[in-house]
Amino acid sequence: MSSDHRLVGGYIRGYLVVTRCMEVDVDLFSVGLWRYPKADAQRFGDDWWVVLPGQATLALPEGVMRDYEDDNEPELLDVTLHEVRSDLDMLESLDNEEQAAAHAAVHCRRFGTPDLCGPHGLPVWHDPPRARPGGAPRTRVVSPSCIYGEAPDGHLGLKVAAVVNFVKHLRGLEQIADHLTLRQDPTPAWMIDEVLNGDFIEPQYVRRVRGLQQANEFTRNETRRLLTHAVDRAMASSRLVATVRWPEERRPELALVADTACALYVADLLAHVGSTDPDRTYLCSVCGQPYTPRRRLKPNEGRYCTRPECRNERNRMKQVRRRAREGATDGEHHEET
């Protein structure tokens, strides 16, 4: 089975190939983003914060479905989720933390607030797997979420450096995916650093990657493993989950549910990772089953999978074409004589 994801009107569209090409729409559900109309950038000591006083209101980007299992009524925004994340991504390009704080405050007022925890600056459900006593295998412990951030003045708040790290982590993942899609040379070390920095990935995995880098053994396959591992971690820590929804007067359907604001940002990342790579799934001309060749086929190239009978047919057709070319060449020689 292969899949290719696109963001269409704010939701993820997955093309799933099972026994024949079949298009499946996967809606993205969310209660929305919490906007703070009085969000303000303030400096406390050496750190810049976005202070979040007052009441928050819910907002839902265009194309994201309201989670009908929640009673809140969000305001519908006239921008897509990708436009919301693109606005947050601007933090990465600003010259200093003061400018980043001012932009983050405007983002929290207009679109919504990334719900990063206070102690660690990570998505609030970041609790990692813990080791059992006695060295037993590691297992995930179900526990409450980490606590939200509190600014030094006592109000709810976001440390700007944590938001910038979150943006850099998601942008690093997207840049690695684009590089793997468009280039054949090794992924630059600075892209890997963007993903490894900030404690978003567990230390033992970071050490493994660093060891492979030092030994010059960090291959493209290892880069892909890092990418998928990091996306899985981001989905788990932000509570972006696949589930089944059954809206009224509709059939049951597969859906993605974003339980937090960070989950919405991760969902947009998921929709765009590798989106420049055209789907390379073809139907075999012999058996009719889907397969994925190592490269994209030319329009006039035969489509044969790796089954023995299909490979035999491919070889037979190659011989037919070879004989046809030889016959044409012999005909030209007879005309010349």
Side-chain angles (χ1 to χ4, degrees):
M1 184 175 70
S2 70
S3 63
D4 180 28
H5 299 288
R6 299 289 185 270
L7 190 72
V8 182
Y11 60 84
I12 294 176
R13 169 166 291 177
Y15 296 98
L16 304 178
V17 179
V18 186
T19 56
R20 59 191 179 90
C21 289
M22 179 174 60
E23 183 177 309
V24 179
D25 291 342
V26 181
D27 286 331
L28 176 62
F29 288 82
S30 173
V31 297
L33 294 160
W34 289 104
R35 295 192 299 181
Y36 285 83
K38 296 182 179 180
D40 186 37
Q42 296 186 28
R43 184 173 182 171
F44 298 95
D46 295 332
D47 298 321
W48 279 94
W49 287 74
V50 176
V51 180
L52 307 169
Q55 293 293 320
T57 60
L58 271 177
L60 198 66
E62 186 178 279
V64 179
M65 307 287 288
R66 184 176 78 87
D67 193 350
Y68 57 86
E69 294 189 356
D70 191 278
D71 294 332
N72 292 302
E73 277 290 347
E75 178 185 345
L76 300 182
L77 299 176
D78 59 356
V79 294
T80 66
L81 176 58
H82 186 60
E83 291 173 312
V84 172
R85 187 169 76 91
S86 297
D87 182 82
L88 192 68
D89 284 348
M90 292 178 63
L91 292 176
E92 187 185 25
S93 61
L94 297 178
D95 293 334
N96 55 60
E97 197 169 356
E98 181 178 2
Q99 293 180 359
H103 184 83
V106 173
H107 184 90
C108 292
R109 293 196 296 266
R110 291 184 59 197
F111 303 120
T113 304
D115 38 11
L116 301 171
C117 74
H120 314 98
L122 302 175
V124 291
W125 293 98
H126 65 81
D127 186 36
R130 299 175 183 171
R132 293 177 179 173
R138 295 168 65 84
T139 182
R140 179 164 292 281
V141 177
V142 178
S143 63
S145 68
C146 196
I147 60 175
Y148 286 88
E150 183 177 295
D153 66 352
H155 287 106
L156 194 67
L158 281 173
K159 188 176 286 188
V160 174
V163 183
V164 173
N165 284 339
F166 179 65
V167 168
K168 287 184 176 180
H169 182 69
L170 295 188
R171 285 287 298 137
L173 292 173
E174 196 165 17
Q175 288 166 339
I176 288 176
D178 290 344
H179 190 275
L180 288 171
T181 299
L182 302 172
R183 306 282 295 273
Q184 292 298 319
D185 55 313
T187 303
W190 67 266
M191 289 188 187
I192 306 299
D193 291 340
E194 294 271 286
V195 172
L196 296 183
N197 295 338
D199 297 327
F200 292 94
I201 299 176
E202 64 273 29
Q204 62 270 25
Y205 197 94
V206 174
R207 288 194 295 270
R208 178 180 178 275
V209 172
R210 295 302 189 196
L212 291 172
Q213 286 180 312
Q214 291 176 3
N216 291 323
E217 296 176 356
F218 195 69
T219 62
R220 286 176 62 86
N221 282 338
E222 290 293 344
T223 308
R224 292 180 188 276
R225 291 191 185 98
L226 169 63
L227 176 66
T228 55
H229 180 80
V231 172
D232 283 345
R233 291 278 297 183
M235 292 177 66
S237 63
S238 64
R239 279 206 168 180
L240 176 64
V241 296
T243 185
V244 174
R245 285 288 187 263
W246 195 346
E248 188 177 356
E249 298 181 357
R250 292 173 62 176
R251 298 176 59 187
E253 57 190 27
L254 180 66
L256 280 177
V257 177
D259 283 343
T260 65
C262 286
L264 281 173
Y265 298 117
V266 175
D268 184 72
L269 166 74
L270 182 63
H272 288 86
V273 162
S275 61
T276 56
D277 186 20
D279 183 36
R280 293 209 315 267
T281 300
Y282 298 90
L283 296 181
C284 177
S285 303
V286 179
C287 66
Q289 295 297 310
Y291 76 104
T292 304
R294 292 182 179 274
R295 58 174 175 79
R296 189 163 183 82
L297 301 180
K298 299 176 182 178
N300 60 345
E301 194 170 353
R303 287 154 170 73
Y304 302 100
C305 71
T306 57
R307 293 169 182 258
E309 60 271 25
C310 303
R311 293 172 67 91
N312 291 338
E313 177 64 15
R314 182 191 64 178
N315 292 334
R316 189 185 71 82
M317 292 302 299
K318 287 174 66 175
Q319 292 177 2
V320 169
R321 288 192 293 270
R322 179 174 58 80
R323 294 193 191 102
R325 287 195 300 270
E326 291 174 350
T329 303
D330 291 342
E332 291 176 359
H333 289 326
H334 286 308
E335 289 179 3
E336 290 174 1
T337 57

